[in-house]
Amino acid sequence: MAVTKVVISVLGSDRPGIVAAVSRVLSENRCNIEDVSQTILQSEFAGVFIASLPEELSMKSLEEKLAENLTPLGLAVLLKPVQESERYQAPPSQPFVVTTIGPDRLGLVAGITEVMARFGVNITNLRAAFRGGSDPRRNVMIYEVDIPVHIDQQAFRKALRQRAEDLGLDLSLQHRDIFEAIHRI
């Protein structure tokens, strides 16, 4: 079966022109960009593109063309076919935002995400910055999550708060609508 869509991951030291370089290669090869997300972690660029391929272009050929253009810029490229059959079917859920702050230590992300995984809570976006030290404002994690409506909400909240306390973190759990309203003011 021919690959019709690919996920393209691009990593490297951040600087102007990375998105332009990737999108130029895709455009020149008649690949339509359907989704893009990029971020900068400390000084590292991380970009993920989903693009559709024209019939005459193979994933292997596109990978070679991207590598030919991006490797000289110090960028690493990884391609993966999009498999429609692998798509996660989310149960009915409510969107929440979980925020933690506290002193940096080993295992903060693992500790919080273990509880989320145990209850089937899906993380849709995560932003975590750890700058070390005991100043809690320098160590923040913000999780956007979908909490399935069928789980025991009280048990989840209790387990999450207990884990945060065990890790020395202050934790806030708010429905996304409330979080956005508060932060809009």
Side-chain angles (χ1 to χ4, degrees):
M1 183 174 178
V3 174
T4 58
K5 287 186 187 179
V6 291
V7 179
I8 304 159
S9 301
V10 179
L11 301 171
S13 293
D14 185 45
R15 68 173 161 280
I18 295 174
V19 174
V22 175
S23 59
R24 181 185 50 79
V25 174
L26 294 175
S27 177
E28 288 173 354
N29 289 282
R30 301 185 49 242
C31 297
N32 186 39
I33 297 172
E34 296 186 7
D35 283 306
V36 178
S37 181
Q38 71 120 94
T39 192
I40 299 166
L41 302 171
Q42 297 184 9
S43 63
E44 292 296 310
F45 171 91
V48 180
F49 301 72
I50 292 182
S52 58
L53 305 179
E55 284 185 32
E56 68 277 6
L57 181 67
S58 70
M59 187 175 88
K60 176 86 174 146
S61 178
L62 177 61
E63 187 170 29
E64 290 170 358
K65 291 176 184 194
L66 284 165
E68 177 184 310
N69 286 275
L70 302 178
T71 301
L73 301 175
L75 299 170
V77 180
L78 173 69
L79 273 65
K80 174 192 171 296
V82 173
Q83 303 289 335
E84 294 295 328
S85 61
E86 295 176 0
R87 184 172 286 183
Y88 169 71
Q89 297 297 320
S93 304
Q94 288 286 319
F96 281 79
V97 177
V98 177
T99 305
T100 68
I101 61 171
D104 190 17
R105 65 181 278 194
L106 189 65
L108 295 179
V109 175
I112 295 297
T113 57
E114 184 280 323
V115 174
M116 293 176 178
R118 186 164 21 109
F119 281 87
V121 172
N122 190 39
I123 300 168
T124 57
N125 193 18
L126 166 61
R127 177 76 181 151
F130 303 104
R131 300 299 179 252
S134 59
D135 182 353
R137 293 168 297 180
R138 295 180 49 84
N139 306 295
V140 178
M141 295 187 285
I142 302 172
Y143 298 87
E144 293 180 42
V145 299
D146 287 337
I147 300 178
V149 295
H150 70 273
I151 70 167
D152 183 338
Q153 303 279 328
Q154 284 189 325
F156 172 65
R157 288 173 184 265
K158 182 177 178 182
L160 193 61
R161 291 194 189 286
Q162 183 60 55
R163 181 61 55 87
E165 185 179 318
D166 294 345
L167 293 169
L169 298 171
D170 289 331
L171 180 136
S172 167
L173 173 64
Q174 297 174 310
H175 193 278
R176 188 169 53 208
D177 294 344
I178 295 170
F179 180 87
E180 289 174 351
I182 289 171
H183 290 85
R184 214 176 298 140
I185 295 174

